[in-house]
């Protein structure tokens, strides 16, 4: 079938977001952080834990574990996407990482304080599975949608993701808040059951895109055959091509810095609410649900705004909002304030992710065969940003003993990102009436 702008293919593609976003909500944002902080905070040792004999602040340890996971995926995906482009089998890698992540989530069912090492390792492996599948998933966007449809299709994926993850979160929410209704006496069981359900949900709904999406477009030739096992050579080739794409060249540094802030906030927000504000699991889940529900509208709103004002101006406005979020978060002291902040975060969270992905896709030449390599470059940029953000956030917390000081670090990252977006906007204006602008979509001219 013709895959571009095909409704069945787009819906199947979006269902992958429906499947894997349950991990992002339950494991990254709500139940796992609250459960992890609760079981690793003890009267004897406070917030300190021993991990293979070395002492860590509990929240810093989880940040470091995620950072290592993202570092691993940043190293692996260039190699795997190079092979995927060459062989045309990127769906196979989507399947592998999906099974890896889903099974790791199932493994978290056995996570208790006396199995801390196993739990943290499963937590990291689940992140590797989630991120590994996402890069191949993202690389389908220019294959399933024409340039004029990519903002809307990207937003559709995020919208499906938010709806699917909220549905599973509500199911888990019932077990967590009312365990006695189901005869549950083990206080750890509802959370651990939630982790198991995430794994089953993830791998179950992922079968829909696996059935419909094509394997991938093979891009083999003699040159690629020599380089296929060197994914970093592919990244170097992509970077060389980026040098001749003036807008993409300016977009990527901006994306790196504001992604450092966005992704770190998304990964540490639950720990902040639990540790600094002592919100508790039920309040934390309610807040994250608010974020998810508002984010459904946020992704669609940003797509509509980009149609009217353009991608870069909207991104600049959203980054300004993120700066405000950081400043407000530094001074926040009550649950009510956190609820208010959650609404703003939800509005801009999905929007900036969706718009960033579609902006990058728009800046790529049309009908290129090596989309997986280009999105590998995008993914590596994002993952390295996350590694830097998480290590920086965790290190500042351990150094100063206060998680709020880490927020100041994130504020600086957003300011740098805004300045670089302003430079991108200036570049767009300069190129709008220049033949070089059109070469972006026809680089051979």
């Amino acid at each position: 079938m013709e895959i571009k702008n095909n409704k069945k293919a787009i819906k199947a593609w979006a269902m992958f977001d429906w499947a894997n976003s349950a991990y992002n909500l339950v494991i990254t944002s709500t139940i796992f952080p609250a459960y992890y902080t609760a079981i690793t905070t003890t009267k004897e040792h406070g917030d300190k834990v021993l991990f293979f004999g070395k002492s860590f602040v509990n929240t810093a340890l989880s940040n470091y574990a995620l950072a290592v996971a993202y570092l691993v995926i940043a190293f692996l995906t260039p190699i795997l996407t190079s092979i995927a482009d060459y062989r045309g089998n990127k769906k196979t890698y989507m399947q592998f990482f999906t099974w890896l992540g889903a099974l790791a989530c199932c493994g978290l069912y056995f996570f208790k304080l006396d199995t801390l090492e196993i739990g943290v390792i499963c937590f990291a492996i689940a992140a590797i599975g989630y991120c590994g599948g996402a890069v191949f998933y993202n690389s389908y966007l220019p294959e399933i949608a024409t340039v004029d449809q990519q903002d809307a299709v990207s937003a559709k994926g995020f919208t499906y993701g938010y709806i699917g993850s909220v549905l599973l979160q509500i199911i888990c929410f019932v077990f967590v808040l009312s365990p006695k209704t189901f005869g549950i006496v083990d206080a750890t069981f509802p959370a651990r059951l939630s982790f198991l359900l995430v794994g089953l949900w993830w791998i179950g709904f992922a079968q829909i895109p696996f059935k419909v999406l094509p394997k991938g477009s093979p891009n083999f030739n003699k040159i690629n055959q020599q380089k296929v096992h060197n994914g970093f050579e592919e990244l170097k080739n992509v970077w060389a091509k980026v040098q001749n794409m003036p807008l993409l060249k300016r977009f990527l540094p901006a994306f790196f810095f504001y992604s450092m802030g966005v992704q770190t906030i998304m990964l540490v927000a639950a720990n902040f609410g639990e540790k600094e504000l002592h919100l508790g699991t039920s309040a934390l889940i309610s807040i994250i649900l608010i974020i998810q529900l508002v984010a459904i509208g946020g992704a669609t709103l940003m797509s509509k705004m980009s149609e009217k004002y353009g991608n870069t101006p909207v991104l600049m406005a959203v980054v300004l909002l993120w700066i405000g979020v950081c400043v407000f978060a530094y001074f926040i002291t009550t649950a009510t304030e956190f609820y208010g902040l959650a609404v703003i975060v939800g509005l801009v969270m999905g929007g900036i992710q969706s718009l960033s992905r579609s902006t990058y896709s728009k800046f790529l030449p049309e009908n290129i065969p090596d989309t997986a390599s280009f999105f590998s470059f995008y993914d590596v940029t994002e993952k390295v940003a996350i590694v830097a953000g998480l290590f920086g956030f965790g290190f500042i917390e351990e150094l100063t003993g206060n998680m709020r000081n880490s927020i100041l670090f994130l504020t600086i990252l957003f300011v740098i990102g805004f300045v670089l977006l302003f430079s991108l906007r200036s570049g767009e204006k300069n190129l709008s009436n220049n033949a070089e602008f059109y070469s972006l979509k026809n680089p051979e001219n």
Side-chain angles (χ1 to χ4, degrees):
M1 67 177 178
E2 172 59 38
I3 189 172
K4 282 205 173 183
N5 299 338
N6 180 280
K7 290 184 179 180
K8 182 179 180 181
I10 290 172
K11 185 176 181 179
W13 178 81
M15 284 302 297
F16 190 78
D17 233 323
W18 173 291
N20 72 357
S21 290
Y23 156 83
N24 221 9
L25 181 56
V26 176
I27 306 298
T28 302
S29 303
T30 55
I31 297 178
F32 181 85
Y35 174 77
Y36 172 83
T37 302
I39 68 169
T40 57
T41 303
T42 61
K43 291 182 179 179
E44 296 80 11
H45 305 290
D47 65 352
K48 297 294 180 65
V49 293
L50 287 178
F51 183 72
F52 289 111
K54 183 173 175 57
S55 178
F56 291 92
V57 172
N58 55 1
T59 47
L61 173 62
S62 64
N63 289 339
Y64 293 152
L66 278 180
V68 169
Y70 286 118
L71 191 62
V72 168
I73 208 65
F75 178 79
L76 284 180
T77 51
I79 300 171
L80 299 182
T81 51
S82 173
I83 298 173
D85 272 336
Y86 173 73
R87 298 182 182 275
N89 64 345
K90 61 186 175 185
K91 187 164 72 172
T92 300
Y93 290 104
M94 278 180 66
Q95 292 171 317
F96 168 77
F97 282 109
T98 296
W99 277 100
L100 181 70
L103 290 176
C105 286
C106 293
L108 287 173
Y109 174 80
F110 303 100
F111 179 30
K112 294 185 177 182
L113 183 58
D114 58 356
T115 57
L116 175 68
E117 288 83 1
I118 294 175
V120 171
I121 290 171
C122 282
F123 177 55
I125 291 175
I128 291 172
Y130 173 78
C131 297
V135 65
F136 295 101
Y137 164 68
N138 287 337
S139 72
Y140 273 104
L141 180 57
E143 291 189 30
I144 65 170
T146 53
V147 173
D148 62 307
Q149 295 296 314
Q150 286 174 11
D151 283 341
V153 172
S154 182
K156 187 184 186 79
F158 277 101
T159 300
Y160 271 50
Y162 290 129
I163 295 173
S165 60
V166 166
L167 286 176
L168 181 61
Q169 177 71 91
I170 291 172
I171 295 171
C172 297
F173 196 42
V174 172
F175 289 105
V176 170
L177 290 188
S178 186
K180 292 182 180 179
T181 303
F182 304 94
I184 299 172
V185 294
D186 181 352
T188 69
F189 182 77
R192 294 186 295 110
L193 175 63
S194 298
F195 308 151
L196 178 62
L197 291 176
V198 168
L200 297 176
W201 178 283
W202 188 354
I203 195 59
F205 282 108
Q207 301 309 310
I208 297 173
F210 292 160
K211 182 178 180 180
V212 175
L213 292 176
K215 291 170 59 178
S217 302
N219 182 34
F220 45 80
N221 55 47
K222 291 183 179 179
I223 296 177
N224 280 339
Q225 193 168 7
Q226 297 300 318
K227 296 181 178 179
V228 68
H229 298 297
N230 189 349
F232 296 99
E233 185 70 23
E234 289 297 305
L235 285 188
K236 182 180 177 181
N237 291 340
V238 170
W239 176 245
K241 294 176 183 178
V242 167
Q243 303 312 302
N244 296 317
M245 303 174 189
L247 297 186
L248 198 61
K249 184 179 178 181
R250 294 190 184 204
F251 170 72
L252 281 168
F255 172 71
F256 176 81
F257 278 98
Y258 72 67
S259 284
M260 231 193 295
V262 171
Q263 298 295 335
T264 302
I265 287 176
M266 290 170 61
L267 293 169
V268 304
N271 282 336
F272 179 84
E274 177 72 18
K275 194 169 185 178
E276 293 292 323
L277 304 179
H278 310 290
L279 294 178
T281 303
S282 59
L284 194 60
I285 291 176
S286 299
I287 289 169
I288 299 299
L289 279 175
I290 290 174
I291 291 176
Q292 297 297 311
L293 292 171
V294 175
I296 294 171
T300 304
L301 175 64
M302 297 305 168
S303 174
K304 298 295 183 184
M305 289 179 65
S306 67
E307 290 180 10
K308 184 174 182 179
Y309 301 106
N311 289 38
T312 305
V314 175
L315 281 172
M316 291 172 66
V318 172
V319 170
L320 279 177
L321 282 174
W322 276 110
I323 293 172
V325 165
C326 288
V327 173
F328 187 68
Y330 181 81
F331 296 102
I332 200 170
T333 56
T334 68
T336 302
E337 291 173 335
F338 201 65
Y339 273 99
L341 190 64
V343 175
I344 301 174
V345 169
L347 183 66
V348 296
M349 181 177 69
I352 197 167
Q353 290 179 288
S354 173
L355 203 55
S356 295
R357 180 170 64 185
S358 61
T359 299
Y360 181 80
S361 184
K362 280 183 172 182
F363 287 159
L364 296 178
E366 286 192 78
N367 300 317
I368 56 173
D370 51 346
T371 56
S373 288
F374 266 94
F375 270 92
S376 171
F377 193 89
Y378 175 85
D379 191 70
V380 168
T381 301
E382 183 180 55
K383 295 306 176 288
V384 172
I386 295 172
V387 170
L390 285 171
F391 267 117
F393 195 94
F395 177 75
I396 291 172
E397 182 190 359
E398 286 207 300
L399 184 67
T400 65
N402 191 333
M403 194 181 286
R404 293 178 187 270
N405 293 329
S406 300
I407 296 176
L408 298 177
F409 163 68
L410 300 182
T411 307
I412 295 171
L413 299 178
F414 281 117
V415 171
I416 296 172
F418 179 81
V419 171
L420 293 172
L421 282 174
F422 185 83
S423 173
L424 170 62
R425 182 59 180 158
S426 299
E428 284 181 320
K429 291 179 178 179
N430 291 336
L431 288 171
S432 60
N433 295 314
N434 191 301
E436 187 180 12
F437 176 79
Y438 299 102
S439 70
L440 290 171
K441 294 302 178 187
N442 190 11
E444 294 180 357
N445 287 348

